[in-house]
């Protein structure tokens, strides 16, 4: 359940006339959890991080990987309970845990600790979390208000795709089991953060050095050898040492960067480079040749994750769903994300999405659900954030009446094959603060010209901030020029989402650039905005501490 | 959304559908010695298939090897829509009113109170006497006949509206099956005793019986329009329609208590979920305190003192649904306060008065310097000592007036705010706040549409409610309660109105109506409703009319004098209309501003004339349930 303004992506009422009052209840209630069963795991691509260099320098590769992730999250999975609708399925992300699930699960875990264990903030073991997940599925059976007959009657009402879609309600945030588990197991760190206050922007990380290459090099006169590519990320340093064997002449040591092999270091024995990018090392021997050893290391200072027990695992995924009510009082807007519209948008002082029309989407064309009251909600957008990449894999989908142009022009068959409305959603993705693809068209100039043009409209040059923004979700002032990554770095830091896109002095480029050396919640807003899970954890701990 | 048929009733109707298949083609009136009309099954079809069951004069030659006679159909299901059915049923009731005007004047006058009484009887009999309509064995039939009796004599009240069908074939069959050849005389006596109308008035036909019983079994839908409750200004007659009971039944399974339990809401002071009577046991009982030795008055209940308030509170005190937080105007360092019982501290709040908590525990609202709405997380994340209500997540929505009543929508539905004429109640007066009785009074319901991410104001609906004031909407958004006065502003009762929404395509609300479904004729202050719509609670300052209830011989009892103006807490069962005083304040003491937490505990404030004030809790509503 979300109350009032929440995460980076929370819509706001620009007029400020009424704003938001109350809470939009409709999360996956206990009976719905039994219908869905335990949440499905997200099948993370554990090799994806190894392709990080490729992803940051190629929009095309990045988008292909993002569509793959989307396909996995939209993949139909059967419900735990048999429903009247034959072969009833829900998208995988709809099985994820919401705030109520988290509250029940953590309550069960913490409540089972002994007073001594609570005092010591004892760890919650994996097997105990597994048990709590299963307990949560059957929790409804312990409620006097849900006898089996009522539950069976409820199942009988789920007799159409529209009805099945309402299982899980209109709750906003859904978390994969890995994310839920990690937050629950991080409760001591969460409590520490609440007790001590948010960490400042600069917290010294723990340096480490990864040996990447150590190789004997033997070169004839005037010959050379190349090594790489070697990707260096933000806050990383590449150290290259060339040590000649005794009696050998020195050689020229060069470090080159990018597709044009820009020379970023030129020496004989040592090179140190800290500019992010894909690098290569070249050793050029003089007239007498060279014999020696090349040693390549990458120095990394891991950004501290001070409010969690370390960074999230790769299969930790959060999904923020933007459900919109279909009602005459709430016309459903459409947005133009073409190159022309984007060019105009980014030129404004505070880039903010403005609808270009209204539409009444049909049931078949958009993922929708109808509540028992008859109220119809449609899925306008999805913010997806997986942890398969260091800065998170930030993907956002939005519905479009013109789905096959610009950000939908490269939609792969894997998405189309899902059927239903899923081919009507466009997508953008960001994996880092800065754009390292120097092709403004992102490699789509030939086969997807409308996408190429749209990407060009928001490309600020190689090294500039990346762009990704969802017109339905990133509705707050300034967020039309966002990149998700910049905003999420502030989760649990005390900075509020609304400040990030508009406080240019503190957070330049609409908050898209790195502004801190630590990520208190590893980029998750779930703890202190939106679902306020930190407050929920504290509330549960307080409950068991009070007389 | 309110549904007039409960699952249990629907199940019953389904049962009838299957029974109807047994067939009942025609019935011939039978003149009897008693001189009134009876109806028995067509001898050629339904009757006398059982050799020892058919009456001698039924003219049936029963074959010994024929299968046993099957029971005639009791009633046929009626498919008519609620509105049409109500119209037809009420027309039948008026014929019964006319037919009984002489034999039982006033007994069956078509009033809301009488309809409700008849519905109570009907549902009681439906669940007992008419549980087995097949009556396959004489024992089963005898059990039914026994069920119709009280202390050995037929009792009309045991049959409810089914008494109107006593002359119909099923009853005759029941007597034949139970009593064999000697059935007729007892049966005729039974008809004479219980039938509505009493013989020799014309009995209802099977078709009329079907319509009438269908309407009652559906819960007398639309009764409020068919039988308007018309009372002159200044008078009050209590009644509660069947729909109140149906609402409470629905509230028990889908109201906020059930919803919050499913969300594992942590009820303050409760060691075991689902066992509210075990809650708050670590707090001292009022009986053990000097000030509160006599406060508890409901047998078996507990009254506990939760917090001693070291300052003068201002206007209303409200509890959060979990019972952890208690808020009111006034404080030591700020204009208002929120008491965190978990930490046993009072948190200063930059507001003035009129707090309200969302029933799902998600947030709260305060007035003063504009309306402020904040998430509960600003209270639960950390250990705040003061709040400015500008903390992250807080907003200042326009359009919410004083004395607002906040809620959250069940299952993603819309949210409503009610506005009406009202009178303030600082709690310092010796008398209940007056009721502004205006002929042009109306209720305005503001629709806050659930957009998916929050709520937006989108339209308002008016309903004229002459002379009603101080409207309060229930946390479930299913009912609204107002107060009426005696013509001079003195409160004399509460009017309960159901919120009926007419929806168009897509669930859009196109109209709202607020039919009156109950009236409870008691004095008091502004009402607070339980989170499942079962109870109303309020405070009331003692007047002469309360002297006897407070244990005195009357208002002239000299011992009573110091009790005038004290304030006690009263609980009204919305189903039965019964009022129970649940506190016993002493001279100089006032129990004020009661409100419910999710599990039924009631919190209220006690002022004794000097500091401290006391935040007190009682489980009386749970004990009395």
């Amino acid at each position: 359940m979300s109350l009032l303004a929440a995460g980076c992506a929370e819509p706001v009422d620009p007029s400020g006339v009424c704003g938001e009052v109350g809470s939009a209840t409709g999360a996956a209630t206990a009976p719905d959890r039994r219908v869905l069963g335990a949440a499905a795991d997200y099948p993370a691509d554990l090799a994806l991080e190894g392709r990080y260099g490729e992803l940051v320098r190629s929009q095309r590769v990045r988008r292909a990987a993002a569509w793959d992730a989307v396909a996995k999250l939209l993949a139909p999975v059967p419900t735990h309970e048999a429903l009247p609708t034959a072969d009833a399925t829900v998208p995988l992300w709809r099985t994820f845990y919401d705030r109520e699930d988290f509250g029940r699960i953590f309550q069960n875990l913490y409540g089972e600790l002994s007073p001594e264990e609570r005092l010591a903030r004892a760890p919650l073991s994996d097997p105990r979390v597994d048990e709590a997940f299963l307990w949560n599925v059957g929790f409804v059976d312990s409620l006097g208000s849900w006898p089996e007959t009522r539950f069976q009657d409820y199942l009988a009402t789920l007799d159409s795709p529209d009805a099945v879609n309402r299982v899980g309600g209109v709750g906003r945030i859904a978390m994969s089991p890995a994310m839920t588990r990690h937050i629950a197991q991080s409760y001591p760190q969460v409590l520490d953060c609440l007790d001590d206050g948010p960490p400042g922007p600069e917290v010294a990380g723990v340096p480490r050095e990864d040996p990447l290459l150590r190789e004997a090099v033997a070169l004839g006169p005037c010959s050379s050898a190349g090594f790489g590519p070697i990707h260096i990320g933000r806050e990383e340093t590449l150290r290259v040492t060339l040590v000649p064997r005794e009696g050998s002449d020195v050689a020229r040591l060069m470090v080159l960067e990018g597709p044009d092999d820009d020379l970023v270091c030129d020496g004989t024995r040592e090179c140190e480079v800290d500019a992010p990018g894909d690098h290569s090392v070249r050793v050029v021997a003089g007239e007498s040749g060279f014999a020696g050893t090349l040693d390549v290391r990458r120095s990394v200072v891991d950004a501290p994750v001070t409010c969690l027990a370390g960074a999230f695992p790769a299969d930790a995924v959060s999904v923020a769903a933007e459900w919109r009510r279909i009602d005459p009082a709430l016309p459903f807007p459409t947005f133009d994300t073409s190159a022309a519209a984007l060019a105009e948008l980014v030129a404004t002082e505070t880039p903010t999405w403005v609808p270009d029309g209204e539409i009444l989407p049909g049931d078949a064309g958009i993922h929708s659900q109808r509540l028992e009251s008859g109220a119809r909600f449609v899925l306008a957008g999805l913010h997806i954030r997986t942890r398969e990449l260091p800065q998170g894999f930030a993907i956002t989908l939005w519905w479009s009446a013109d789905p096959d142009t610009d950000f939908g022009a490269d939609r792969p068959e894997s998405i189309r094959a899902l059927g239903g409305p899923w081919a009507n959603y466009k997508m953008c993705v960001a994996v880092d603060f800065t754009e390292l693809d120097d092709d403004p068209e992102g490699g789509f100039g030939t086969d997807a010209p409308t996408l190429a043009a749209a990407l060009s409209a928001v490309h600020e040059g190689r090294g500039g901030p990346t762009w990704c923004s969802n017109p339905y979700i990133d509705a707050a002032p300034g967020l039309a020029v966002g990149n998700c990554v910049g905003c999420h770095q502030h989760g649990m830091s005390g900075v509020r989402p609304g400040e990030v896109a508009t406080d240019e002095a503190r957070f330049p480029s609409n908050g898209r650039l790195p502004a801190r050396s630590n990520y208190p919640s590893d980029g998750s807003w779930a703890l202190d905005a939106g679902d306020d899970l930190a407050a929920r954890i504290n509330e549960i701990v307080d409950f068991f501490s009070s007389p | 959304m309110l549904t007039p048929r409960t699952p249990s009733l629907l199940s019953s109707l389904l049962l009838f559908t299957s029974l109807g298949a047994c067939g009942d083609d025609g019935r011939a009136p039978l003149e009897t010695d008693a001189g009134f009309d009876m109806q028995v099954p067509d001898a050629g079809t339904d009757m006398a298939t059982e050799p020892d069951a058919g009456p001698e004069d039924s003219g049936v030659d029963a074959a010994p090897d024929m299968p046993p006679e099957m029971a005639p159909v009791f009633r046929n299901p009626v498919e008519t829509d609620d509105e049409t059915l109500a119209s037809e049923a009420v027309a039948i009731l008026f014929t019964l009113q006319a037919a009984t005007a002489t034999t039982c004047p006033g007994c069956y006058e078509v009033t809301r109170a009488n309809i409700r009484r008849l519905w109570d009887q009907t549902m009681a009999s439906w669940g007992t006497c008419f549980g087995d309509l097949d009556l396959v064995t004489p024992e089963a039939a005898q059990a039914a006949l026994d069920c119709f009796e009280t202390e050995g004599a037929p009792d009309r009240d045991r049959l409810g509206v089914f008494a109107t069908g006593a002359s119909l074939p099923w009853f005759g069959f029941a007597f034949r099956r139970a009593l064999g050849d000697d059935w007729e005389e007892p049966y005729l006596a039974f008809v004479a005793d219980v039938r509505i109308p009493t013989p020799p008035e014309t009995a209802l036909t099977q078709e009329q019986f079907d319509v009438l019983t269908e309407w009652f079994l559906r819960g007398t839908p639309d009764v409020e329009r068919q039988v308007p409750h018309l009372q002159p200004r200044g008078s009050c007659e209590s009644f509660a329609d069947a729909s109140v009971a149906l609402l409470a039944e629905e509230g028990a399974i889908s109201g906020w208590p059930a919803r919050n339990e499913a969300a594992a809401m942590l009820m303050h002071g409760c060691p075991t979920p689902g066992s509210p009577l075990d809650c708050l046991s670590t707090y001292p009982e009022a009986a053990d305190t000097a000030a509160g030795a006599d406060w508890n008055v409901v047998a078996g209940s507990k009254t506990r003192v939760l917090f001693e308030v070291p300052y003068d509170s201002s206007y209303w005190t409200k509890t959060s649904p979990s019972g952890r937080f208690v808020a009111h105007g006034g404080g030591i360092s700020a204009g208002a306060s929120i008491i965190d019982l978990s930490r046993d501290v009072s948190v200063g709040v930059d507001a003035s008065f009129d707090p309200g908590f969302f029933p799902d525990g998600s947030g709260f609202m305060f007035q003063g310097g504009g309306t402020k709405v904040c998430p509960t997380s600003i209270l639960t994340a950390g250990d705040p000592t003061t709040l400015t209500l500008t903390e992250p997540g807080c907003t200042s929505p326009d359009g919410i007036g004083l004395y607002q009543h906040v809620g959250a929508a069940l299952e993603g539905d819309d949210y409503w705010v009610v506005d009406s004429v009202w009178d303030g109640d600082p709690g310092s007066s010796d008398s209940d706040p007056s009721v502004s009785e205006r002929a042009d009074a109306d209720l305005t319901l503001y629709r806050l549409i659930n957009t998916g991410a929050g709520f937006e104001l989108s339209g308002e609906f008016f309903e004229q409610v002459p002379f009603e004031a101080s409207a309060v909407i229930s946390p479930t958004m299913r009912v609204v309660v107002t107060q009426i006065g005696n013509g001079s502003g003195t409160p004399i009762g509460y009017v309960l109105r159901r919120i009926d929404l007419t929806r168009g395509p897509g669930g859009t609300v196109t109209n709202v109506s607020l039919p009156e479904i109950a009236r409870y004729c008691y004095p008091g202050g502004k009402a607070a409703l339980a989170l499942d719509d079962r109870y109303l609670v309020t405070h009331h300052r003692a007047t002469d009319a309360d002297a006897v209830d407070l244990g005195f011989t009357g208002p002239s009892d000299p011992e009573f004098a110091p009790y005038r103006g004290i304030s006690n807490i009263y609980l009204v069962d919305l189903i039965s209309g019964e009022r129970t005083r649940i506190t016993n304040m002493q001279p100089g003491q006032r129990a004020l501003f009661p409100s419910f937490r999710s599990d039924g505990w009631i919190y209220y404030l006690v002022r004794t004339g000097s500091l401290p004030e006391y935040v007190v809790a009682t489980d009386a509503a749970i004990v009395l349930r």
Side-chain angles (χ1 to χ4, degrees), chain B residues 54-73:
Chain B
E56 292 285 359
D57 59 356
S58 64
V60 176
D61 296 326
D65 57 348
M66 290 182 71
E69 176 191 7
M70 293 175 65
V73 69

Side-chain angles (χ1 to χ4, degrees), chain A residues 1 3-4 17 19 21-23 25 29 100 104 107 139 150 323 325 327-328 371 373-374 496 532 535 538 542-543, chain B residues 253 259 262 264 266-267 270 324 358 360 362 375 377 380 382 392-393 398 412-414 447 450-451 455 503 506-508:
Chain A
M1 158 185 345
L3 176 76
L4 318 172
V17 171
V21 177
S23 59
T25 302
T29 60
E100 281 195 15
R104 286 191 296 263
Q107 195 175 317
F139 174 74
R150 185 184 180 200
W323 292 100
R325 177 78 170 271
D327 187 277
L371 304 185
S373 66
R496 302 310 301 171
D532 278 321
N538 199 45
D542 277 350
F543 176 82
Chain B
I253 61 169
R259 183 71 181 75
L266 294 162
M267 299 308 303
C270 298
R324 173 176 170 178
F358 292 99
D360 62 353
S362 60
S377 58
T380 56
D398 292 340
D413 214 335
D414 298 329
R447 181 191 184 204
N450 181 355
T451 67
F455 290 87
R503 292 182 184 273
T508 301

